[in-house]
């Protein structure tokens, strides 16, 4: 399903809940070895993907956290270090009309790129079939106009084939990614349609 849940209530930190936009249309488990949010079957990877703005608030607000839908975890616990999440604005709805031969930080179609979270995490069995919350170190300020682009950098330096496999929705040309076993990948990347199922939470500034 794809919908915006509207609600207003006080929260700690001085803001107010605006609502949560959920992108979870016909969810299915990510393909083997993973692409986005990260390639669990590779030592290093990055992915960047787009959520179109038609269901977002049409005024500036902040995003303090997101949730990703974890389908299964075959190995528990699964520890991942060197993880980073970035958010940015883009006027695009997808990557269809852009070259994939560019790194995620080099695109002229991405603006206001901000590192919102740098972290290590342990995934465990209790999270299977649930929404895993990622609270940001720095809330992202959404401009009320553009689509949102999320980048995930995985610098774990190792992998296990039983790592976390998230739910995704099939959205053509929505994901760019690259993965490698030896070094953190740069340069030419790949295009894919398995966009992570997500809940994006909005608050007043």
């Amino acid at each position: 399903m794809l919908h915006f849940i509207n609600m207003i209530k006080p929260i700690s930190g001085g803001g107010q809940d605006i609502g949560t936009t959920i992108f979870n249309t016909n969810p299915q488990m990510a393909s083997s070895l993973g692409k986005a949010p990260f390639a669990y079957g590779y030592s290093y990877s990055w992915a960047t993907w787009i959520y179109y703005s038609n269901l977002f608030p049409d005024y500036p607000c902040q995003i303090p956290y997101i949730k990703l839908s974890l389908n299964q975890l075959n190995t528990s616990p699964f520890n991942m270090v060197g993880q980073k999440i970035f958010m940015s604005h883009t006027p695009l709805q997808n990557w269809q009309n852009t070259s994939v031969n560019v790194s995620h930080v080099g695109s002229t179609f991405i603006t206001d790129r901000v590192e919102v979270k740098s972290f290590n995490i342990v995934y465990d069995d209790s999270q299977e079939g649930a929404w895993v919350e990622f609270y940001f170190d720095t809330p992202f300020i959404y401009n009320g106009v553009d689509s949102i682009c999320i980048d995930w950098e995985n610098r774990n330096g190792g992998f296990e084939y039983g790592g976390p496999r998230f739910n995704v929705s099939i959205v053509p040309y929505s994901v760019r990614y690259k993965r490698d076993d030896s070094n953190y990948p740069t340069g030419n990347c790949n295009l894919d349609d398995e966009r992570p199922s997500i809940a994006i939470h909005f608050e007043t500034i």
Side-chain angles (χ1 to χ4, degrees):
M1 59 182 170
L2 178 66
H3 63 277
F4 182 78
I5 304 172
N6 187 29
M7 55 185 177
I8 301 291
K9 66 179 181 179
I11 62 168
S12 60
Q16 286 186 318
D17 280 347
I18 296 171
T20 301
T21 301
I22 300 175
F23 293 86
N24 196 29
T25 305
N26 300 321
Q28 63 186 57
M29 186 165 60
S31 59
S32 177
L33 303 183
K35 298 167 184 174
F38 54 83
Y40 71 85
Y42 286 79
S43 297
Y44 304 92
S45 66
W46 64 260
T48 178
W49 62 96
I50 296 174
Y51 297 98
Y52 183 44
S53 61
N54 62 329
L55 291 178
F56 296 155
D58 58 358
Y59 50 88
C61 52
Q62 63 181 346
I63 300 173
Y65 66 87
I66 59 174
K67 299 179 182 181
L68 296 177
S69 179
L70 181 61
N71 186 298
Q72 74 175 34
L73 182 64
N74 294 325
T75 301
S76 184
F78 185 86
N79 182 41
M80 296 193 72
V81 301
Q83 307 296 292
K84 289 187 177 183
I85 301 174
F86 298 80
M87 296 188 77
S88 55
H89 294 108
T90 179
L92 303 175
Q93 296 184 31
N94 55 53
W95 299 115
Q96 182 174 5
N97 296 318
T98 65
S99 171
V100 298
N101 298 322
V102 61
S103 71
H104 60 308
V105 297
S107 175
T108 57
F109 298 98
I110 294 175
T111 59
D112 308 319
R113 187 173 186 263
V114 175
E115 179 182 316
V116 294
K117 190 171 182 64
S118 178
F119 62 104
N120 304 326
I121 188 171
V122 177
Y123 296 95
D124 61 57
D125 287 339
S126 67
Q127 298 165 319
E128 286 194 351
W131 290 92
V132 181
E133 298 177 340
F134 298 88
Y135 286 89
F136 295 158
D137 304 323
T138 303
F140 180 71
I141 305 302
Y142 175 60
N143 64 12
V145 177
D146 290 321
S147 300
I148 289 175
C149 183
I150 297 180
D151 300 335
W152 191 299
E153 294 185 358
N154 168 32
R155 301 175 184 267
N156 189 49
F159 66 92
E160 295 180 36
Y161 288 113
R165 294 178 69 176
F166 289 86
N167 281 321
V168 297
S169 299
I170 302 303
V171 181
Y173 309 112
S174 58
V175 177
R176 294 189 300 174
Y177 74 97
K178 192 165 188 179
R179 51 198 189 184
D180 194 275
D181 271 334
S182 301
N183 300 285
Y184 185 77
T186 58
N188 295 2
C189 61
N190 302 297
L191 196 62
D192 198 67
D193 57 6
E194 289 191 359
R195 189 179 69 182
S197 297
I198 199 172
I200 303 175
H201 185 72
F202 294 91
E203 293 178 0
T204 58
I205 298 174

